[in-house]
Amino acid sequence: MMPTPWRPGRWGYRSLGGQRLLDLTKRGNYESGSDYVLEYGELRFTFNERDFTERVEQAAVKLGFVDGPLESDEREDLVNLAVNGEVIDPASELGEHINTCWGELHGASERSLVHWLRRLVFRGAWLDQRVKEGELEIVFDSDTHSFGYAQPDRGWELVELSPEPSWASIAYRR
């Protein structure tokens, strides 16, 4: 079954047929502002404050560390964790929870919550940029009722994302 392309308004409609207007040989860098910067190799992604904050919060939800929308002071602590790798002066109970559970949250780089927050923010921006450039399409799977990414140039092959660890056992709960 071929997935159904989903084209959100901010990326506009692009016909699947015909000539592509984008040069896909050179990958662009994601940019929504200049408040935060993530770099990996030759890629440099820049974010405005709102975009970055929302992506960090979504990453924390995906990792099971928080269970839903946060208050502004909680988001501040979570962003401080993602940016600085720690929460020195907590502004909320979430920040205090992070410091209380630090031993379980901080480990080898690939096992730390900070690493995974940054990784998911970067991965989301990378995928968004690939969609914007026409290399990927967002698709809806009616069997699983979920969204994914497909490669139109490869017969709509779905992109497999690496699984994330879960921090649900030490999650922050209000």
Side-chain angles (χ1 to χ4, degrees):
M1 166 192 266
M2 183 172 11
T4 306
W6 180 63
R7 296 176 186 84
R10 71 177 190 200
W11 289 313
Y13 179 83
R14 182 181 62 80
S15 171
L16 295 179
Q19 183 178 15
R20 291 182 188 242
L21 300 175
L22 301 171
D23 177 13
L24 298 179
T25 59
K26 180 181 181 236
R27 292 187 167 172
N29 289 317
Y30 178 86
E31 182 179 335
S32 67
S34 60
D35 297 315
Y36 297 95
V37 176
L38 281 177
E39 294 179 330
Y40 182 76
E42 294 180 14
L43 296 174
R44 177 183 169 91
F45 292 174
T46 59
F47 304 85
N48 66 42
E49 184 174 1
R50 180 178 177 185
D51 183 22
F52 187 77
T53 300
E54 288 174 355
R55 288 176 183 276
V56 170
E57 184 174 359
Q58 291 167 0
V61 169
K62 188 165 187 76
L63 294 169
F65 186 64
V66 298
D67 60 0
L70 300 174
E71 300 293 326
S72 62
D73 56 345
E74 294 168 330
R75 279 192 293 279
E76 177 185 338
D77 283 338
L78 195 58
V79 167
N80 279 332
L81 178 65
V83 171
N84 302 317
E86 62 185 343
V87 180
I88 294 173
D89 188 21
S92 70
E93 288 182 20
L94 172 59
E96 293 172 12
H97 177 75
I98 290 168
N99 287 339
T100 299
C101 299
W102 187 245
E104 296 171 83
L105 300 174
H106 182 68
S109 66
E110 67 277 356
R111 293 194 177 125
S112 77
L113 178 62
V114 172
H115 167 83
W116 277 96
L117 288 172
R118 292 173 180 169
R119 182 175 177 161
L120 292 182
V121 168
F122 187 88
R123 178 168 78 180
W126 187 90
L127 289 165
D128 287 349
Q129 186 65 26
R130 302 294 75 82
V131 169
K132 182 179 177 183
E133 294 177 357
E135 188 175 333
L136 297 177
E137 290 283 341
I138 298 174
V139 295
F140 181 74
D141 184 336
S142 58
D143 294 335
T144 63
H145 299 285
S146 62
F147 290 94
Y149 297 89
Q151 303 171 73
D153 292 348
R154 293 188 178 185
W156 293 93
E157 179 182 333
L158 292 175
V159 173
E160 279 192 54
L161 301 175
S162 60
E164 312 80 26
S166 173
W167 273 269
S169 65
I170 53 171
Y172 169 68
R173 308 275 186 242
R174 285 189 203 122

